[in-house]
Amino acid sequence: MARPPGHGPGYETKRQEIIDKAAALFAEKGYAATGIAEVGDVAGLARGALYYYIGSKEHLLVEIQDRVMRPMLAGVHRIAALDENPVLRLRLLSQTLLENILARLDHVRVYEHDYRNLRGENRTRLLSQRREFEGVVERLLVAAMEDGSFRTVDPRLATLQFLNMHNHTYQWVKPGGEWDARRLSREYCATLFAGFAGPGRRFDDIEDDVSDFLAKRETAAPVPIPRSSGKA
């Protein structure tokens, strides 16, 4: 984000620090139960200085929600656009979702619990982002049904099954613990895919496919950036 006119070079660094501290505080106490003065205390700022950086308490909540949704949406759209079978894309999406959860546990807790405190356009935008994310998952599940990988079930219910298994992970997972995103995704998807599997379909090779895909991604040559012709 560009620095607003008149702000010094440390403005954005301080603003991001405030958002981090507010996310931890909201995760611990709840957004509604936390006063703006408490945010100022953990940030080491008086009320006027705090508003200089964040504008309002609700704007802090918007920033926290955006930190969850922006990378999540970018990741799932990138995966959905891959020229790979839908089951592999769902497995990759699962891991990306869990990586994002583990990277920002405080933010995800606030995202899940406190989005109802948003109002007007802020709430409308967040709900639209949620529907967008769910739509990507649902389309991949439908694609897997259409190619016979999964049996035909209610797509909405399948989407909720997929998301519910992932979305509550933040309640108990420990960063740096024995279960990282890849292991969790492997176990979650083994359960889900076995339940969704079409007649005679098995996914014993899915983890080999994931390893092959990730290895290709890590060793792929960088895509050259086209030179500008200088013409308007």
Side-chain angles (χ1 to χ4, degrees), residues 2-224:
R3 190 169 73 240
H7 293 313
Y11 171 84
E12 189 58 27
T13 300
K14 184 62 177 179
R15 200 176 74 87
Q16 295 301 322
E17 177 188 322
I18 294 167
I19 296 167
D20 281 335
K21 290 182 176 180
L25 191 60
F26 294 161
E28 179 185 356
K29 299 188 62 175
Y31 172 82
T34 303
I36 196 66
E38 293 174 275
V39 178
D41 287 343
V42 298
L45 295 170
R47 184 184 295 261
L50 182 64
Y51 282 132
Y52 168 76
Y53 287 103
I54 57 94
S56 69
K57 182 183 168 187
E58 183 170 341
H59 190 251
L60 264 178
L61 184 56
V62 170
E63 291 281 358
I64 293 167
Q65 301 285 338
D66 279 351
R67 278 188 173 186
V68 174
M69 287 308 301
R70 278 201 307 266
M72 207 89 81
L73 285 172
V76 300
H77 280 302
R78 184 171 60 250
I79 289 166
L82 293 171
D83 185 20
E84 303 287 350
N85 71 72
V87 176
L88 175 57
R89 284 182 283 165
L90 282 164
R91 170 61 179 80
L92 295 170
L93 186 152
S94 162
Q95 185 165 323
T96 295
L97 174 54
L98 289 164
E99 286 170 348
N100 278 280
I101 289 171
L102 281 164
R104 291 196 181 277
L105 281 175
D106 287 341
H107 292 66
V108 172
R109 182 175 292 276
V110 176
Y111 169 82
E112 291 290 347
H113 284 264
D114 293 315
Y115 75 90
R116 294 175 182 83
N117 290 287
L118 292 171
R119 297 169 295 178
E121 291 183 4
N122 289 331
R123 183 175 178 130
T124 298
R125 183 168 65 89
L126 175 66
L127 293 177
S128 176
Q129 289 174 327
R130 284 180 173 237
R131 287 192 295 270
E132 181 181 349
F133 180 83
E134 292 170 3
V136 174
V137 176
E138 184 169 324
R139 287 191 292 275
L140 286 175
L141 287 165
V142 169
M145 295 177 203
E146 290 176 343
D147 75 6
S149 297
F150 292 170
R151 59 192 173 88
T152 301
V153 296
D154 183 324
R156 180 60 180 159
L157 181 57
T159 301
L160 292 173
Q161 288 176 272
F162 185 95
L163 292 175
N164 284 344
M165 181 169 277
H166 292 77
N167 286 349
H168 295 288
T169 303
Y170 76 91
Q171 294 180 332
W172 51 264
V173 74
K174 302 295 183 185
E178 61 178 310
W179 297 318
D180 62 10
R182 185 163 184 175
R183 181 175 177 186
L184 287 170
S185 180
R186 181 177 71 234
E187 297 301 327
Y188 286 6
C189 288
T191 300
L192 287 164
F193 295 173
F196 289 147
R201 300 303 292 265
R202 295 173 61 90
F203 306 102
D204 299 333
D205 298 331
I206 189 67
E207 293 307 315
D208 291 336
D209 294 341
V210 170
S211 295
D212 290 345
F213 174 83
L214 294 176
K216 286 189 293 186
R217 185 181 65 178
E218 289 167 2
T219 59
V223 177

